[in-house]
Amino acid sequence: VQTCALPICRCNVLVFDTKHGTNTHKLKLGCFTTVAPSGATKVLAASLVASESEKSFAWVFECLLEAFRIPPAVIFTDSDPGMAAAIAHILITTLHFLCTWHLSKNLLAHVKPALFPSSAGCDAFMSDWWAICMRSDTSCIGSFDNEWAALLAPIRNGPPSRSEEHTSELQSRVDISYA
């Protein structure tokens, strides 16, 4: 592990994302970013790993702690299971949240083709989705479950032309709740 002498980092919120194998060695580039007081995006650290395993991410997060000495208060990531497991074991005091951009990509990839043959229905669904995302802070915890249930009602009920097996598969993809 090679580190440089860095001042103690007081970045409370980080975003960590990896890019899959776009270099000649097929390594995954991970970047830790934050937003500076000026509003500019700042890259704080980067990693290259051969696999997106819990072990690889644990090493990345251990190096982050060694370099910056203080764990972030919050980290936003995609839904990679190895990354989530490593965060739970290494960044034990850090709150881990999923990035709404990654969640919306997942929604578009899985929900749109299954439920919305026309763009109007999908546009309305995504508009409602983003409205919930934009209001998702501690002031709306009480209303989140109802809004989420209303958004997912068409998926949970399934369109009349879908088989029970297909509807069950869709439900399993979106069965999350606010904790």
Side-chain angles (χ1 to χ4, degrees):
V1 174
Q2 186 176 20
T3 61
C4 57
L6 295 171
I8 293 175
C9 181
R10 303 223 185 273
C11 301
N12 290 327
V13 179
L14 296 182
V15 174
F16 182 65
D17 194 19
T18 55
K19 183 68 178 165
H20 301 280
T22 57
N23 55 66
T24 58
H25 301 290
K26 303 297 183 210
L27 297 173
K28 283 67 174 166
L29 171 66
C31 291
F32 288 96
T33 58
T34 192
V35 178
S38 65
T41 299
K42 296 291 183 182
V43 177
L44 298 174
S47 65
L48 286 170
V49 294
S51 70
E52 293 181 303
S53 66
E54 179 180 350
K55 183 179 178 181
S56 293
F57 286 126
W59 174 80
V60 168
F61 297 137
E62 287 167 353
C63 291
L64 179 79
L65 287 177
E66 182 180 331
F68 289 98
R69 297 182 246 169
I70 296 175
V74 174
I75 190 165
F76 287 90
T77 69
D78 63 13
S79 59
D80 185 281
M83 193 183 302
I87 289 169
H89 290 108
I90 306 301
L91 302 176
I92 56 175
T93 61
T94 301
L95 296 173
H96 179 211
F97 295 104
L98 299 179
C99 168
T100 55
W101 183 81
H102 284 99
L103 291 172
S104 71
K105 275 184 58 178
N106 196 15
L107 274 173
L108 285 170
H110 297 290
V111 175
K112 179 182 177 181
L115 287 179
F116 302 106
S118 75
S119 63
C122 184
D123 290 347
F125 179 87
M126 291 307 292
S127 178
D128 291 345
W129 155 256
W130 280 112
I132 290 172
C133 290
M134 299 305 282
R135 289 191 310 270
S136 292
D137 61 22
T138 56
S139 68
C140 70
I141 289 173
S143 64
F144 179 86
D145 287 334
N146 290 335
E147 291 178 23
W148 185 246
L151 180 67
L152 297 183
I155 297 167
R156 290 198 170 121
N157 297 335
S161 62
R162 301 288 181 190
S163 69
E164 188 173 309
E165 179 182 314
H166 188 261
T167 300
S168 177
E169 178 190 348
L170 287 173
Q171 288 174 346
S172 69
R173 290 182 183 177
V174 296
D175 242 353
I176 63 171
S177 62
Y178 188 80

